[in-house]
Amino acid sequence: MNQEPSKLLIVDDLPDNLRALDALIRDEQRLVFHAHSGEEALALLLEHEFALAILDVQMPGMDGFELAELMRGTERTRHIPIVFVSAAGRELNYAFKGYESGAVDFLYKPLDPDAVRGKVNVFVALDQQRRETRRQMEALEKSRREQEILLQELNATQAELQRSLRMRDEFMSLVAHELRTPLNTLFLETQMRTLHLKRGNLQAFAGEQMGAMIKRDERQIKAMIRLIDDMLDVTRMRNGTLSVRPAQVELMGMLERVVSDLSLQAAASGCVISLAPHAPVTGCWDEFRIEQVVVNLLTNALRYGGGCNVEVRVEVEGKCARIDVVDQGKGISPEDAERIFQPFERGARNGEPKGLGLGLYISRQLATAHGGELTVKSTPGQGSTFSLALPCDVLESCAVAPA
């Protein structure tokens, strides 16, 4: 791997001396910078990182010794090796003063080319080694950080896998529990009918009795079908194959039908579902899927509403229609407001989980598929309002012509 060239600084007030020294020490792996004074040298020292500084001792203004003292007093330049060059005789004892100023060597003019090249080669090699060591340390540090990130990702993946395994086990347990209830009811009904047949009690199958039996069977079968549909919808959503078929829908008529269909279930819970009056609202939606969301929200309100009445309201704001399902139940804590929209997350009533915890997850996904959103506002102890917002300005793109 090719490294960056080492930078060398030569300082002399005489241009001829700079050119001669440059020619002596320059090669392809070195960048040589010239300074004609101590002030120029300081500007370069603040801008570049040098492997070696060769300073002429005798310069007008700031001499080499003063420049060296300034370099040793600054953190950025403190560790740059300094070689002094002087034309003065040895009897002036400049070498001793140079070493006192922090020089690593002192050379007298005329310079010995081989000695100069040898010394420069040593400091350039040291600089290249230092750079390589720093590069390796940076690479090691980068590798360590990458390994830490990888380890964190592995730990997160392992935790997610363990969570998925727990959810799978809980899911299978819940499915078995939810299926067992309607199946047990159907099984008991079958045993009872078999007993009537064995005893020849055909009156048990006459008139109203037969109608009641069929309705009970329908309720249990619908419960199982809905459970299976929920599981299939979750799979389709995760595979990106969920089907949404938009057509022109009149919202109020659909809501009146849903509220009517759930009125008996509401009465069994000791409450009433009311639909606030509103003018017709038309939009381009998948009626089956929107009805599915509303049924999920109303069923949820009946389940956790504490037997209080539930109100359905419709508001049109600009190009958006909003359906609000308002209950007067125990409410939802802020920390649970988003959790309940996750798959397999459930509320509890009387300490027992109800359902698979898929209804709100599916409903939010269906809202998103329509370009809308499903949100909740709640205050613990003061009930909850689930809001389904739907765009209603896309009739021109509706695949089905208005009826």
Side-chain angles (χ1 to χ4, degrees):
M1 178 178 179
N2 294 329
Q3 292 191 1
E4 293 182 1
S6 294
K7 296 179 180 180
L8 304 175
L9 175 65
I10 54 178
V11 185
D12 198 305
D13 61 307
L14 299 177
D16 290 342
N17 290 345
L18 290 174
R19 286 193 292 270
L21 187 55
D22 184 303
L24 190 62
I25 64 176
R26 180 181 292 274
D27 69 16
E28 294 180 355
Q29 294 301 314
R30 302 170 189 173
L31 291 177
V32 181
F33 290 78
H34 297 187
H36 298 82
S37 65
E39 289 79 9
E40 284 186 27
L42 285 176
L44 290 172
L45 286 165
L46 294 175
E47 185 177 352
H48 301 279
E49 184 178 353
F50 290 103
L52 175 67
I54 301 177
L55 312 181
D56 184 44
V57 171
Q58 295 168 306
M59 293 186 295
M62 183 188 301
D63 64 23
F65 296 135
E66 293 171 329
L67 175 59
E69 289 179 4
L70 290 174
M71 289 174 62
R72 290 294 174 255
T74 303
E75 182 63 33
R76 178 178 174 83
T77 58
R78 180 173 298 164
H79 303 291
I80 297 176
I82 296 173
V83 172
F84 281 117
V85 175
S86 175
R90 296 176 182 270
E91 65 277 3
L92 294 177
N93 208 18
Y94 276 177
F96 179 77
K97 186 175 181 181
Y99 292 125
E100 275 192 333
S101 300
V104 296
D105 208 343
F106 199 100
L107 301 176
Y108 289 95
K109 299 177 181 178
L111 298 175
D112 181 344
D114 292 331
V116 172
R117 280 192 290 264
K119 294 180 187 301
V120 170
N121 288 342
V122 169
F123 289 109
V124 168
L126 289 173
D127 178 65
Q128 292 294 323
Q129 291 175 3
R130 178 178 58 80
R131 290 171 180 269
E132 176 63 18
T133 300
R134 184 167 63 186
R135 187 191 66 78
Q136 291 177 354
M137 292 297 294
E138 290 174 351
L140 286 173
E141 178 61 21
K142 180 181 178 182
S143 176
R144 184 189 65 79
R145 290 195 299 268
E146 291 174 348
Q147 289 178 354
E148 284 185 353
I149 293 172
L150 180 60
L151 182 60
Q152 292 172 0
E153 291 175 349
L154 287 173
N155 289 336
T157 301
Q158 183 179 20
E160 182 61 26
L161 178 60
Q162 292 174 346
R163 178 177 177 272
S164 297
L165 290 174
R166 287 195 303 270
M167 288 177 61
R168 181 203 63 184
D169 294 340
E170 292 176 5
F171 177 66
M172 296 305 296
S173 176
L174 284 166
V175 169
H177 172 78
E178 293 294 321
L179 282 174
R180 186 180 293 116
T181 300
L183 283 174
N184 283 343
T185 302
L186 286 173
F187 181 66
L188 291 173
E189 286 279 351
T190 303
Q191 286 184 316
M192 183 62 69
R193 294 166 198 173
T194 301
L195 183 60
H196 284 308
L197 289 173
K198 285 181 178 179
R199 293 178 177 178
N201 184 16
L202 299 182
Q203 289 294 332
F205 302 96
E208 294 182 359
Q209 289 85 349
M210 178 60 73
M213 289 180 186
I214 292 173
K215 287 184 178 180
R216 289 196 297 270
D217 291 348
E218 284 181 347
R219 284 197 299 271
Q220 304 309 322
I221 292 170
K222 285 181 178 178
M224 289 187 287
I225 290 174
R226 182 172 181 184
L227 178 67
I228 294 169
D229 285 343
D230 281 352
M231 292 187 290
L232 290 175
D233 278 345
V234 170
T235 301
R236 294 187 188 108
M237 287 172 182
R238 291 186 168 180
N239 293 337
T241 58
L242 181 69
S243 174
V244 174
R245 298 183 177 90
Q248 182 170 320
V249 179
E250 199 292 293
L251 200 58
M252 295 306 298
M254 184 267 287
L255 292 175
E256 288 173 359
R257 185 177 67 253
V258 172
V259 169
S260 176
D261 290 344
L262 291 177
S263 59
L264 289 177
Q265 183 179 340
S269 300
C271 64
V272 174
I273 302 176
S274 61
L275 174 62
H278 194 281
V281 179
T282 304
C284 186
W285 309 301
D286 185 326
E287 183 172 8
F288 172 77
R289 293 300 188 182
I290 298 303
E291 180 176 333
Q292 184 179 355
V293 174
V294 175
V295 168
N296 280 336
L297 296 180
L298 287 173
T299 303
N300 192 69
L302 295 176
R303 180 176 294 160
Y304 301 109
C308 299
N309 292 340
V310 177
E311 183 182 13
V312 181
R313 298 193 297 250
V314 175
E315 298 289 342
V316 178
E317 299 173 347
K319 297 181 179 181
C320 179
R322 192 185 75 244
I323 304 171
D324 293 332
V325 176
V326 185
D327 68 61
Q328 304 300 322
K330 62 182 181 181
I332 302 167
S333 64
E335 58 269 20
D336 288 338
E338 282 300 314
R339 178 187 64 81
I340 59 175
F341 289 101
Q342 299 301 314
F344 313 121
E345 294 290 350
R346 305 174 303 283
R349 184 179 63 180
N350 298 329
E352 296 182 4
K354 301 291 182 180
L356 294 179
L358 295 175
L360 291 177
Y361 169 74
I362 292 172
S363 297
R364 175 168 277 188
Q365 298 301 312
L366 291 174
T368 302
H370 282 81
E373 62 177 351
L374 177 62
T375 57
V376 63
K377 292 182 179 178
S378 182
T379 302
Q382 299 182 25
S384 305
T385 298
F386 285 85
S387 298
L388 171 63
L390 297 168
C392 55
D393 61 338
V394 290
L395 281 176
E396 65 276 6
S397 64
C398 222
V400 179

